[in-house]
Amino acid sequence: MQKEETIYLAGGCLWGVQRFFDSVPGVIFTEAGRANGTSDSLEGPYDGYAECVKVIFDNTLTSVSDLMDKLFEIIDPYSLNKQGIDVGVKYRTGVYSTVKSHLDEAKAFINRREDKDKIVVEVLPLTNYVRSAEEHQKHLERFPEDCYLCHIPDSVMNKYRK
């Protein structure tokens, strides 16, 4: 029986991250947003927020470890506050959740890697989340010509496309 769970994944510009995770097996729904900022306003400015994608997944088809593996396919886990041409705190990489076992599984994934001491991916409890404006939802689906802005290579972006 399907059990839906939610995790928030930050991997640089949210447009590409959302498009990629939309094609990952076991992912039911994605939403572009921002996580763990320092401002209280839901209308902006989005001080300290990381661009992220809310990922709802079927835990009978995939796991947090599987999703971490996929995230590491599209990010440079050693790059602090930078992915591709995008630079700044809002482009940091991270995994956020309100479920402790998700965070434990994400940390275990990183700790199993030989390069764990070089990895700068945040793994933190979700403290706040703001859904991005409608214009950012499924942006690369609606405007594929903007794919040149994305740090994710086409070969990886389309790896799980049906």
Side-chain angles (χ1 to χ4, degrees):
M1 183 167 164
Q2 175 179 315
K3 180 157 186 302
E4 292 181 9
E5 296 188 28
T6 304
I7 196 163
Y8 301 79
L9 303 173
C13 177
L14 53 79
W15 294 347
V17 177
Q18 183 177 34
R19 181 166 181 243
F20 176 79
F21 277 100
D22 278 340
S23 69
V24 169
V27 171
I28 300 166
F29 173 82
T30 65
E31 177 180 88
R34 292 168 173 77
N36 284 19
T38 56
S39 66
D40 292 332
S41 173
L42 298 182
E43 302 296 323
Y46 299 113
D47 297 335
Y49 281 87
E51 288 196 5
C52 74
V53 175
K54 177 181 182 178
V55 175
I56 298 176
F57 63 98
D58 177 345
N59 75 355
T60 66
L61 300 175
T62 193
S63 66
V64 171
S65 289
D66 291 339
L67 295 173
M68 290 290 294
D69 189 52
K70 303 297 187 285
L71 179 66
F72 273 54
E73 288 184 42
I74 62 170
I75 65 169
D76 175 353
Y78 320 114
S79 182
L80 184 63
N81 301 332
K82 180 182 187 305
Q83 292 295 306
I85 62 171
D86 297 315
V87 179
V89 173
K90 73 179 187 173
Y91 298 114
R92 68 187 183 270
T93 54
V95 177
Y96 312 103
S97 182
T98 59
V99 179
K100 184 181 181 310
S101 64
H102 290 173
L103 302 175
D104 292 343
E105 195 172 342
K107 288 175 186 175
F109 173 90
I110 291 170
N111 285 330
R112 285 191 299 271
R113 293 177 54 107
E114 289 181 18
D115 58 353
K116 64 184 172 195
D117 295 333
K118 298 176 186 174
I119 293 172
V120 296
V121 176
E122 292 183 333
V123 178
L124 297 170
L126 181 73
T127 57
N128 50 19
Y129 171 78
V130 179
R131 182 183 190 277
S132 288
E134 195 59 39
E135 66 198 48
H136 294 291
Q137 303 301 324
K138 312 285 187 194
H139 183 88
L140 293 182
E141 295 294 327
R142 293 180 295 118
F143 303 102
E145 67 275 9
D146 286 348
C147 280
Y148 75 94
L149 296 170
C150 186
H151 68 280
I152 304 169
D154 282 343
S155 60
V156 177
M157 181 71 80
N158 296 314
K159 186 173 181 179
Y160 302 103
R161 288 246 177 255
K162 297 167 181 96

